[in-house]
Amino acid sequence: MKNELEQMATIAKTRKIEELFKTGTRLDKLCLQFGECFFDFSKSQMSEDELVTLIAYAKEKNLGDKIKAMFSGDAINTTENRAVLHVALRNHSRNWHAKGEDANEYKEVMKRASEFAQKVFDGSVKAKNGKPFSAILHIGIGGSDLGPRMVYEALRPIDATGPILRFCANVEPTEFAQAVAGIDPETTLIVCVSKTFTTIETLTNFALARDWLQAAIGTDDKEHLVAISSAPDKAMKYGIKEDRIFGFDEWVGGRYSVWSTVGLSLEMSLGSEIAKAFLDGAKAMDEHFETTDIGQNIPLLGGLIGYWNHTYLGYTTRAIIPYAARLKLLPQFLQQLDMESNGKGIDKNNNPIAISGPVVWGAEGTNAQHAFFQHLHQSPQITPVEFIIIKDGGTKYAASNQLTLANALAQSEALMRGKSLEMVKEDMRKAGKSDEEIEKIAPHRVFTGNRPNICVVLPKLGAYEIGALIAFYEHRTLVEGLLWDINSFDQWGVELGKVIALEINEDLTNGACEKRDPSTANLIKILS
Ligand code: F6P
């Protein structure tokens, strides 16, 4: 079937996307409703016949069974021999198993964590000075940072009353300085989040934070410390009280962990109503993903299109453009989700693979239009774009949201339709330009168009909607990984740099660098 898909792609590469709408059935086939959310895949460079063939290919590859294997708790993370069960975190009423063993203990931990979070939110858990906590310093990096940070930015009500959240991920010291600027250590709760509790950046920042805290409240700082980890024994060694350590299971991958106790700071700051709606949105998307036929299954359809774009049409990147300032961290979050999951070089059978996940990047619209949209519209390197559009602007200034919507739709249409040389010349003629100027300038004003894009419309920027959106992306990542036959749940590619960083840290102290390559040795000399 791969040959058939390759032949189809040869034709698809030169075809006009707009022509595909002539069937009259395209919107029915490629637009899917999820509650009040709407997923429009119709501006993809994929015909209805190609979709049928891709669906057949997915069935040939037993995608349905492989998805079931995740929900059943099989060890689908083969290189680490782990189940992958972030879906369990959003559905506490189901009986879960991981590798055949009971996996329901997390429900108790999450309940205990949630009760604690609620007390921080309402001020009944107090700081050492007897006052409610006014700030939470969330320390963590990668999956222990990006999810909570992105969701906080997206969902914190403008008139919020709960403690404010500050994040510190980078070991580069200005991040810490910025994170604690203007907050009072006497009423700050420090939440150290690390799945492994070995990550050097997090432990370094945690040590800095404790110095900062102890300088204000003395060395007995236990009332101000919380740890979140799947290695609670390691957290205990830092003197954190046992009942302030909230665990999560090894079957929760870092980049899939915002639903676990890793997201606890969110609940402390935003309250349990928002936290629950966030999980509920994801749970609804899980149910849709698990039970819906492939042709109407949103993450499956999204995954088939992504796989087609990158493997057959040769597009190597994808841009995420949320038209909402409060979703500005979404591209960064999805970068980790997608690239750490699917940026692999070896398939599940240890064969090298030519193409895996794309480069993911992006920024918020409309700002991005004034930055890199030039490249999206005219560069010969085509980047499929994913627009996230929020119908209800949700503030008292919502009137300007219509202009936001207009911009998103305009970009989506312009990317697909483009503007031909004839149209450009005609417009220039009408504007009274000379023939000479038209000849010189017109080619530069042509938009070749035919650039695929998808539009995801959310009714509002609510916790339920964000939960569903992230779950959509998680499942699409799985689908694409299954199509590429890769393990989307390990991340061995981050290890080498970590090891060398520790060696170079010593080199910088000692000024010795025999093991290094000439360029790096020279740079060590310059920097030490
Ligand atoms: O270095 C990558 C990584 O392992 C990510 O996968 C993870 O989300 C991040 O580091 C943080 O790890 P931890 O939660 O164990 O501190």
Side-chain angles (χ1 to χ4, degrees), residues 186-363:
E186 291 197 21
T187 52
T188 296
L189 184 68
I190 295 175
V191 181
C192 184
V193 187
S194 174
K195 180 173 177 178
T196 54
F197 233 79
T198 58
T199 303
I200 193 79
E201 292 96 324
T202 300
L203 297 181
T204 305
N205 281 327
F206 186 42
L208 273 181
R210 282 189 85 174
D211 288 348
W212 170 81
L213 180 66
Q214 289 183 2
I217 69 165
T219 50
D220 179 13
D221 60 355
K222 287 191 179 59
E223 294 308 313
H224 287 241
L225 302 181
V226 170
I228 315 273
S229 181
S230 14
D233 46 321
K234 291 207 178 85
M236 224 116 75
K237 290 193 186 130
Y238 286 79
I240 300 163
K241 282 164 67 181
E242 207 172 338
D243 65 349
R244 294 280 178 95
I245 300 176
F246 301 102
F248 61 101
D249 290 272
E250 65 161 30
W251 42 253
V252 183
R255 53 195 174 273
Y256 298 86
S257 66
V258 62
W259 323 97
S260 71
T261 47
V262 167
L264 201 64
S265 315
L266 290 171
E267 191 166 352
M268 292 177 189
S269 175
L270 306 178
S272 54
E273 212 175 298
I274 290 183
K276 185 174 178 318
F278 178 58
L279 294 182
D280 283 348
K283 179 182 169 206
M285 183 56 82
D286 296 340
E287 282 165 4
H288 166 87
F289 180 53
E290 195 182 7
T291 59
T292 309
D293 276 353
I294 190 161
Q296 283 78 49
N297 191 308
I298 297 168
L300 264 160
L301 190 53
L304 289 176
I305 290 168
Y307 171 69
W308 171 249
N309 279 346
H310 305 294
T311 304
Y312 292 96
L313 303 183
Y315 308 141
T316 55
T317 85
R318 62 167 56 127
I320 313 287
I321 317 290
Y323 272 71
R326 300 188 64 178
L327 281 181
K328 66 168 179 261
L329 298 179
L330 183 69
Q332 235 177 304
F333 170 80
L334 293 179
Q335 218 166 40
Q336 188 199 15
L337 176 65
D338 210 332
M339 293 176 75
E340 198 167 69
S341 296
N342 287 343
K344 305 288 165 63
I346 294 286
D347 73 12
K348 282 183 187 158
N349 299 313
N350 289 359
N351 300 312
I353 39 176
I355 296 167
S356 67
V359 173
V360 179
W361 57 288

Side-chain angles (χ1 to χ4, degrees), residues 24-308:
T25 51
R26 189 164 179 81
L27 293 184
D28 295 336
K29 298 261 167 64
L30 286 159
C31 295
L32 296 170
Q33 192 84 36
F34 174 81
E36 289 180 66
C37 307
F38 187 72
F39 291 76
D40 180 351
F41 298 108
S42 66
K43 293 194 188 88
S44 301
Q45 179 52 290
M46 179 190 279
S47 71
E48 290 165 46
D49 285 347
E50 286 150 12
L51 176 61
V52 169
T53 311
L54 273 157
I55 289 176
Y57 178 64
K59 286 184 177 162
E60 187 184 280
K61 283 191 74 90
N62 284 330
L63 245 65
D65 288 348
K66 290 176 181 167
I67 290 165
K68 273 201 192 94
M70 176 176 79
F71 283 91
S72 309
D74 295 358
I76 62 168
N77 177 354
T78 43
T79 61
E80 295 179 304
N81 188 27
R82 287 179 183 166
V84 173
L85 271 180
H86 45 277
V87 287
L89 303 167
R90 317 48 109 138
N91 186 348
H92 293 212
S93 52
R94 186 158 154 179
N95 188 26
W96 296 95
H97 290 89
K99 297 199 286 179
E101 304 283 323
D102 180 85
N104 296 288
E105 210 184 309
Y106 78 90
K107 294 173 191 170
E108 265 313 300
V109 182
M110 281 184 77
K111 190 161 168 268
R112 187 170 67 83
S114 180
E115 281 162 8
F116 176 75
Q118 200 45 40
K119 287 183 190 155
V120 175
F121 178 71
D122 68 21
S124 53
V125 163
K126 304 249 191 293
K128 201 174 152 189
N129 65 6
K131 292 185 180 166
F133 286 107
S134 60
I136 294 154
L137 179 60
H138 178 114
I139 299 174
I141 197 164
S144 296
D145 166 70
L146 287 166
R149 196 190 282 254
M150 184 271 285
V151 174
Y152 181 68
E153 185 79 28
L155 294 181
R156 180 164 167 92
I158 288 162
D159 54 359
T161 52
I164 61 161
L165 244 179
R166 290 285 179 83
F167 291 90
C168 179
N170 203 326
V171 75
E172 191 274 320
T174 51
E175 169 114 326
F176 180 77
Q178 271 176 342
V180 297
I183 59 171
D184 179 359
E186 291 197 21
T187 52
T188 296
L189 184 68
I190 295 175
V191 181
C192 184
V193 187
S194 174
K195 180 173 177 178
T196 54
F197 233 79
T198 58
T199 303
I200 193 79
E201 292 96 324
T202 300
L203 297 181
T204 305
N205 281 327
F206 186 42
L208 273 181
R210 282 189 85 174
D211 288 348
W212 170 81
L213 180 66
Q214 289 183 2
I217 69 165
T219 50
D220 179 13
D221 60 355
K222 287 191 179 59
E223 294 308 313
H224 287 241
L225 302 181
V226 170
I228 315 273
S229 181
S230 14
D233 46 321
K234 291 207 178 85
M236 224 116 75
K237 290 193 186 130
Y238 286 79
I240 300 163
K241 282 164 67 181
E242 207 172 338
D243 65 349
R244 294 280 178 95
I245 300 176
F246 301 102
F248 61 101
D249 290 272
E250 65 161 30
W251 42 253
V252 183
R255 53 195 174 273
Y256 298 86
S257 66
V258 62
W259 323 97
S260 71
T261 47
V262 167
L264 201 64
S265 315
L266 290 171
E267 191 166 352
M268 292 177 189
S269 175
L270 306 178
S272 54
E273 212 175 298
I274 290 183
K276 185 174 178 318
F278 178 58
L279 294 182
D280 283 348
K283 179 182 169 206
M285 183 56 82
D286 296 340
E287 282 165 4
H288 166 87
F289 180 53
E290 195 182 7
T291 59
T292 309
D293 276 353
I294 190 161
Q296 283 78 49
N297 191 308
I298 297 168
L300 264 160
L301 190 53
L304 289 176
I305 290 168
Y307 171 69
W308 171 249

